Amino acid sequence: MEIAFDNSFHDMMAGFYASSDATKPSAPRLLAFNRLLALRLGIDTEEATDDDLAGFFSGDAVISGGAPLALVYAGHQFGHFSPQLGDGRALLLGEIVAPDGARFDIQLKGSGPTPFSRNGDGKAAIGPVLREYLVSEAMAAMGVPTTRSLAAVATGDRVQRERAHPGAVLTRVASSHIRVGTFQFFAAHYGADHVIRLSDYSINRHFPDLADAANPHLALLDRVIGLQCGLVAHWLGVGFIHGVMNTDNVAISGETLDYGPCAFMDRFAVNTVFSSIDVNGRYAYGRQPQIMHWNMARFAEALLPAIHAVDPADVEQAKAIVAAVPERFREAWFARMRAKLGLAVSDEADADLFDGLFEALERHSVDFTSFFRALAMLLRGDDAPLSALLPQRDGMASWIDNWRKRIDLATVDLMERAAAMDAVNPLYIPRNHLVEAALEAAEAGDMGPWQDLLEVVRHPFESHDDREVYAQPAPETFGPYTTFCGT
């Protein structure tokens, strides 16, 4: 198998990375391969066997044309600045230009130590690898901007965490792996020249239309903020909690990056936290917009040397762009909520309607995902799904009445409205209890439950009678849920 690498970052950005090599696994074995994604990338795998794929996507075999490297970056982790982080267990094999001209990174995660491993083993256990594969593909199917998963390979080695686990390597695909933390590192250590160089490369790669702006670096700040506002609004719309929104986990491309202690809410609670390390709830569900704003302020700080170099007066404009983040997010969030609720037009009472909804959802402990599908069924004249979600049949009667009045503001066929709601409100998400069961089975050697769950979440909006169990929230016996970083 050959991959036509075109390694622009390696060739153009010397000094922004460290060359490295993967550690050869003892017995690589293919667990999963995303053939549709391979086709999208233009990778021809027709003649490749599973053993070939396992070798290529574990670091056991060298792919011709690659230029393996580990990226360096800094980052604010839970609000505290770490001046040097970097790819401690990831290896960027190279870049590929897809048939449509889009450029992507091909990266291994869990392939062994790099110069930035900070005494870590650089490896990954099978659980975090399969979690990221599953959740990232679910997010892609729901239309959420995200990195993608191309392959998962068992290494045949054991990885010691709280106990020994089977090792694995994930192959991740991203528009790039340039992060807010990448800018922070070079701003902190090298100053304006390096920030300008990184910004110029980022603009050329991701946003070439900004190159002719009066101040391209200021335009980059504005564009990235817009993407992050839309991304976090989308997260909230599907009940997703990233779990570790450190600046080193924020991609300037606007893609969801690094699925560590992530999870989806079942019953709605605005302060929901799943991550074992987020003891103060910094990255709780409802705090994600504020943290996004904070992260964008850190991005602006890192970009200021480049912005100032073009025009010192633009520093004030950068401050104004950051100050406007809450309003930009509000616009993105309200648009997302109107779509979820089937509202064809905006109204000055939208804020009250949305606030009332979330207050009622939390008060009644309603399953977040199921609720919006039940609303669509209500438009079709079937109130049974909604009644089944509520502890009291008329518990949300007042809010439902207000919502129906809002629906009636636009003369649109109700069946069409219900169909439009179903097109944006997933029926199937990676339910936490199902994810854990699938990962436990996979670690024991049975990939069947994981493969079944993957197939379901790849079609999140399509109802199937034989998949009802996948749409149900966790049973009460599942208890409180905690996720772990996996490193």
Side-chain angles (χ1 to χ4, degrees):
M1 186 186 74
E2 293 185 359
I3 296 179
F5 283 119
D6 185 70
N7 303 315
S8 67
F9 196 89
H10 175 274
D11 296 344
M12 299 171 62
M13 302 297 288
F16 284 70
Y17 59 83
S19 296
S20 191
D21 292 304
T23 300
K24 288 186 177 296
S26 61
R29 175 174 56 87
L30 190 68
L31 297 172
F33 187 73
N34 194 337
R35 296 189 182 277
L36 286 178
L37 180 56
L39 184 65
R40 161 78 177 88
L41 298 173
I43 299 175
D44 184 2
T45 62
E46 285 190 9
E47 297 183 4
T49 66
D50 283 1
D51 287 344
D52 292 334
L53 296 173
F56 284 127
F57 296 114
S58 66
D60 186 54
V62 177
I63 304 177
S64 177
L69 58 89
L71 298 172
V72 63
Y73 43 85
H76 276 89
Q77 299 186 308
F78 290 88
H80 302 286
F81 187 62
S82 297
Q84 181 173 308
L85 299 170
D87 288 336
R89 59 172 181 149
L91 195 66
L92 180 60
L93 295 180
E95 301 163 30
I96 187 170
V97 179
D100 65 356
R103 181 179 294 271
F104 296 95
D105 284 353
I106 309 295
Q107 183 195 64
L108 300 182
K109 288 187 66 178
S111 57
T114 76
F116 307 117
S117 293
R118 295 176 293 165
N119 298 318
D121 61 15
K123 298 181 179 180
I126 189 173
V129 164
L130 292 180
R131 176 189 293 274
E132 176 156 348
Y133 194 121
L134 180 74
V135 179
S136 64
E137 289 305 293
M139 294 282 269
M142 288 187 282
V144 182
T146 180
T147 58
R148 299 289 301 277
S149 296
L150 180 61
V153 179
T155 62
D157 303 310
R158 304 294 287 181
V159 176
Q160 187 66 40
R161 296 296 180 255
E162 74 284 356
R163 60 180 176 82
H165 298 270
V169 175
L170 176 78
T171 302
R172 182 164 69 186
V173 175
S175 294
S176 83
H177 286 83
I178 300 172
R179 312 152 187 256
V180 169
T182 315
F183 281 85
Q184 290 182 292
F185 176 84
F186 290 99
H189 295 280
Y190 293 96
D193 289 348
H194 281 70
V195 175
I196 291 169
R197 188 176 164 198
L198 180 61
S199 182
D200 285 344
Y201 174 85
S202 300
I203 290 168
N204 182 64
R205 177 163 178 172
H206 290 289
F207 316 110
D209 60 301
L210 303 183
D212 295 328
N215 191 329
H217 314 297
L218 183 69
L220 176 64
L221 173 65
D222 185 68
R223 180 67 58 84
V224 172
I225 284 175
L227 292 172
Q228 288 295 321
C229 286
L231 176 65
V232 175
H234 215 150
W235 285 359
L236 298 186
V238 295
F240 177 75
I241 301 168
H242 185 278
V244 61
M245 289 176 66
N246 297 330
T247 56
D248 54 295
N249 292 334
V250 180
I252 66 164
S253 61
E255 295 169 310
T256 309
L257 178 69
D258 283 334
Y259 291 90
C262 66
F264 290 80
M265 277 196 304
D266 282 335
R267 294 169 179 83
F268 181 81
V270 71
N271 291 323
T272 298
V273 174
F274 293 113
S275 171
S276 64
I277 58 176
D278 193 3
V279 293
N280 295 316
R282 178 179 173 86
Y283 301 137
Y285 171 83
R287 293 208 68 211
Q288 292 179 127
Q290 290 91 339
I291 294 300
M292 179 271 295
H293 185 191
W294 193 90
N295 287 342
M296 290 299 95
R298 306 291 78 74
F299 182 47
E301 290 170 354
L303 266 176
L304 281 183
I307 294 170
H308 184 275
V310 175
D311 187 345
D314 284 343
V315 171
E316 293 304 313
Q317 182 61 25
K319 294 177 181 178
I321 289 172
V322 172
V325 168
E327 183 56 33
R328 292 180 72 174
F329 172 78
R330 177 187 171 95
E331 292 175 4
W333 175 231
F334 276 27
R336 177 67 49 189
M337 283 304 300
R338 282 192 289 269
K340 289 181 70 64
L341 293 173
L343 306 180
V345 296
S346 61
D347 185 85
E348 62 183 12
D350 280 350
D352 290 339
L353 184 73
F354 302 157
D355 288 346
L357 169 61
F358 290 108
E359 186 278 330
L361 291 177
E362 182 149 9
R363 174 159 39 91
H364 296 294
S365 193
V366 179
D367 182 74
F368 183 77
T369 300
S370 301
F371 174 79
F372 295 96
R373 300 289 292 209
L375 275 188
M377 292 304 295
L378 195 60
L379 289 183
R380 298 182 176 102
D382 183 0
D383 67 351
L386 184 59
S387 296
L389 290 174
L390 299 174
Q392 298 174 339
R393 181 178 178 86
D394 296 328
M396 291 183 65
S398 177
W399 186 88
I400 294 294
D401 183 58
N402 290 334
W403 169 69
R404 291 300 296 256
K405 291 176 181 177
R406 284 284 288 106
I407 287 286
D408 292 340
L409 288 180
T411 55
V412 180
D413 181 80
L414 292 184
M415 298 305 100
E416 293 181 6
R417 190 72 57 83
M421 291 172 66
D422 283 351
V424 298
N425 292 315
L427 177 60
Y428 308 112
I429 60 170
R431 296 277 184 178
N432 300 324
H433 63 296
L434 299 176
V435 171
E436 288 304 312
L439 297 183
E440 184 177 351
E443 182 160 342
D446 179 7
M447 288 289 293
W450 184 88
Q451 291 165 343
D452 291 343
L453 182 55
L454 177 65
E455 177 61 23
V456 170
V457 299
R458 275 180 166 162
H459 303 89
F461 306 109
E462 303 171 14
S463 177
H464 294 274
D465 291 339
D466 61 345
R467 294 179 175 177
E468 290 183 359
V469 66
Y470 293 98
Q472 300 302 313
E476 293 292 342
T477 55
F478 185 62
Y481 184 53
T482 302
T483 57
F484 300 90
C485 190
T487 57

